[in-house]
Amino acid sequence: MRSLRTAPPLPLVFLLMTAGAFGAEGSVKYNQQEICALKGSTVFMNGTFTHPEGLTVTKTFWVIDPIPGVEPTDLSKDPDYSSRVGFLTDEQKRFSLKLSDVMKKDEHWFCFRIITNEEKARWTGVPGVQLRVTELHVEAPEEVTEGQTADLTCKTTCSLTDPKFIWYKNGRPLTTKTIKNNQLHLQTVSSEDTGSYSCAVGGSQHLSSTAHSLRVRYPPKRVSVSICSSGEIVEGSSVTLTCSSDGNPPVNIYTWFKEGGTSSVGSGHSYSIISITADHTGLYYCVAQNDHGALNRTVMVTVKTCGSVVLYVVVGVSLCGNAALLTVVFWRRGKRQKRNLEERDDESLYTFSTHPLSRTLTLKLRTTHTQLFSPQPGPLMMCTTHLQLFSPALLMTRTQLWTLSPGLLSTTL
């Protein structure tokens, strides 16, 4: 209860008003003595008043920080407030102040003043309503380790009236987290909790806090290994293995191993093998590591090789002379196509003739781990050059270099 009174000596006026006493003649009562408002919001100050019998109220208005003995300025005429305030008084002697777009500089004592038809009957209800202005800000750790808990607090510099706090992550409302009063509780933090957090109060969502970035430290995740090669991995080609991973802090150690080995074969984001051989076939794995742990991923490298061809010739007649030109004519039935014979033997019958004897013989060609290529059109090509010929009739075995031309395989005995 705040009192109204005609002007006695100034100290007495202040004392009486501060004590809230004005006998039975009149009074000013504010609904709230202190209001905490968000910066940018709209605030209302309300109350009721009475005045002595026989006096007529001619004007009412609001002032800030009144000084005894000094006529205060009507806020509606103050350049700092004229566009932001609105007054209301009704017949039931209820009064109200509406202040829009509250600013930090609005932190004052707001008082209701009454002017009557008597020159000396002017009163101000003091001390009035104290306005305090606050902004929201998030108080939280900047970093937290995965697996720990974290509490984020929506802080104010004064106590808002019955606030309902709303939390946002990356601009979207959070509905699946635990919110208690002005705190957001993150239980068992994971890397998915990394993001930008802000808070607001229900009814004033547009006045949210400045975003706070929360970083989560975690070991490597989502490790992937890729193979970069110009084509099929064959002997003599080159291949590069590349490892990537997600982690915080970022992964800075990559180590390469080959299954069955006792030590690493390389380090770094990429591992290259130049002039690859069959010995490089195997399972490789990359270990990604940061300050909080390590994780590995494997990849299989398969090198395709060219094997040997052994030609068994059983000669039923004696070959005369110290040397003869042996010509083998290949006849392959069916459509020419690329064949990849892996881990098995292939036995085919071929017909050839010897020159100059012109005898026709039958032989078996057995290929082991060999690739035969029959491009269309063009010559038949074989990825081997060493053939072994033995003849019980000649009682000899020779390993020689054979020359392959379109349809003809020849050598000199």
Side-chain angles (χ1 to χ4, degrees):
M1 182 78 65
R2 296 294 178 263
S3 61
L4 302 173
R5 183 161 183 166
T6 55
L10 290 179
L12 180 59
V13 172
F14 184 76
L15 176 63
L16 291 176
M17 288 184 176
T18 303
F22 187 61
E25 295 184 355
S27 64
V28 172
K29 182 179 180 181
Y30 299 98
N31 293 349
Q32 294 173 281
Q33 291 184 341
E34 182 177 319
I35 294 177
C36 178
L38 286 174
K39 178 182 177 181
S41 66
T42 296
V43 66
F44 292 88
M45 302 178 193
N46 306 296
T48 59
F49 72 95
T50 62
H51 60 81
E53 295 275 343
L55 295 176
T56 301
V57 175
T58 58
K59 184 179 180 180
T60 60
F61 56 93
W62 286 78
V63 300
I64 57 173
D65 301 329
I67 300 174
V70 177
E71 183 63 27
T73 301
D74 181 347
L75 284 184
S76 64
K77 294 179 173 57
D78 187 325
D80 290 335
Y81 289 94
S82 59
S83 62
R84 297 190 293 130
V85 296
F87 305 153
L88 176 65
T89 304
D90 62 17
E91 295 180 354
Q92 284 74 39
K93 297 184 175 57
R94 293 176 299 189
F95 59 83
S96 175
L97 165 68
K98 176 184 177 182
L99 176 61
S100 304
D101 191 19
V102 173
M103 307 175 188
K104 189 68 176 176
K105 67 179 183 179
D106 293 332
E107 290 189 325
H108 296 286
W109 285 91
F110 288 76
C111 302
F112 184 67
R113 182 163 174 79
I114 303 171
I115 305 295
T116 70
N117 57 339
E118 293 289 338
E119 179 66 25
K120 295 184 179 181
R122 299 182 177 188
W123 306 285
T124 302
V126 292
V129 179
Q130 184 181 24
L131 176 63
R132 301 182 64 188
V133 181
T134 185
E135 293 182 81
L136 302 176
H137 73 276
V138 176
E139 187 176 271
E142 291 187 356
E143 280 193 334
V144 63
T145 302
E146 189 173 57
Q148 296 180 340
T149 60
D151 289 316
L152 288 74
T153 306
C154 191
K155 300 283 287 186
T156 60
T157 56
C158 56
S159 298
L160 295 169
T161 303
D162 299 325
K164 180 182 178 181
F165 289 93
I166 303 170
W167 285 90
Y168 301 87
K169 177 186 175 186
N170 298 329
R172 296 184 177 182
L174 283 173
T175 57
T176 59
K177 300 295 184 180
T178 302
I179 299 174
K180 184 177 181 181
N181 297 326
N182 63 334
Q183 279 196 332
L184 172 65
H185 181 70
L186 302 179
Q187 181 72 30
T188 314
V189 173
S190 73
S191 59
E192 302 299 323
D193 292 317
T194 298
S196 181
Y197 291 82
S198 59
C199 63
V201 174
S204 300
Q205 288 90 329
H206 61 293
L207 301 175
S208 62
S209 69
T210 301
H212 174 87
S213 294
L214 179 67
R215 298 187 298 273
V216 179
R217 299 182 294 266
Y218 55 92
K221 296 176 181 291
R222 296 176 284 276
V223 177
S224 63
V225 181
S226 60
I227 300 177
C228 180
S229 176
S230 58
E232 195 174 52
I233 303 176
V234 297
E235 286 184 307
S237 63
S238 299
V239 66
T240 298
L241 307 182
T242 302
C243 189
S244 62
S245 176
D246 173 36
N248 186 34
V251 174
N252 55 1
I253 300 176
Y254 290 97
T255 309
W256 295 89
F257 296 87
K258 183 181 179 185
E259 190 176 48
T262 57
S263 60
S264 64
V265 296
S267 62
H269 180 67
S270 299
Y271 169 58
S272 297
I273 307 174
I274 308 299
S275 189
I276 199 166
T277 68
D279 293 336
H280 289 108
T281 294
L283 192 65
Y284 290 78
Y285 57 98
C286 163
V287 178
Q289 182 178 353
N290 68 3
D291 295 339
H292 297 282
L295 186 67
N296 68 69
R297 187 68 65 198
T298 61
V299 64
M300 185 67 188
V301 175
T302 302
V303 181
K304 296 187 177 182
T305 63
C306 295
S308 62
V309 175
V310 180
L311 182 63
Y312 294 93
V313 180
V314 180
V315 183
V317 297
S318 296
L319 298 178
C320 301
N322 294 327
L325 177 64
L326 178 64
T327 302
V328 181
V329 181
F330 284 84
W331 175 259
R332 302 290 290 173
R333 288 188 178 181
K335 182 180 180 181
R336 290 185 176 183
Q337 59 182 352
K338 179 179 177 180
R339 301 181 58 202
N340 182 9
L341 308 178
E342 297 184 60
E343 302 298 325
R344 70 178 189 272
D345 292 345
D346 177 65
E347 295 188 354
S348 304
L349 292 179
Y350 299 89
T351 301
F352 72 94
S353 63
T354 60
H355 179 78
L357 301 179
S358 299
R359 290 183 174 85
T360 298
L361 302 175
T362 300
L363 58 87
K364 282 186 177 180
L365 173 65
R366 186 175 70 216
T367 63
T368 305
H369 305 294
T370 302
Q371 290 178 314
L372 296 180
F373 299 95
S374 298
Q376 184 69 274
L380 176 68
M381 296 178 291
M382 184 182 298
C383 59
T384 185
T385 56
H386 290 85
L387 306 178
Q388 188 178 63
L389 174 67
F390 64 91
S391 170
L394 296 178
L395 300 178
M396 65 179 183
T397 300
R398 292 187 181 180
T399 301
Q400 300 182 211
L401 181 65
W402 292 70
T403 303
L404 191 63
S405 61
L408 296 176
L409 179 67
S410 62
T411 190
T412 301
L413 296 174

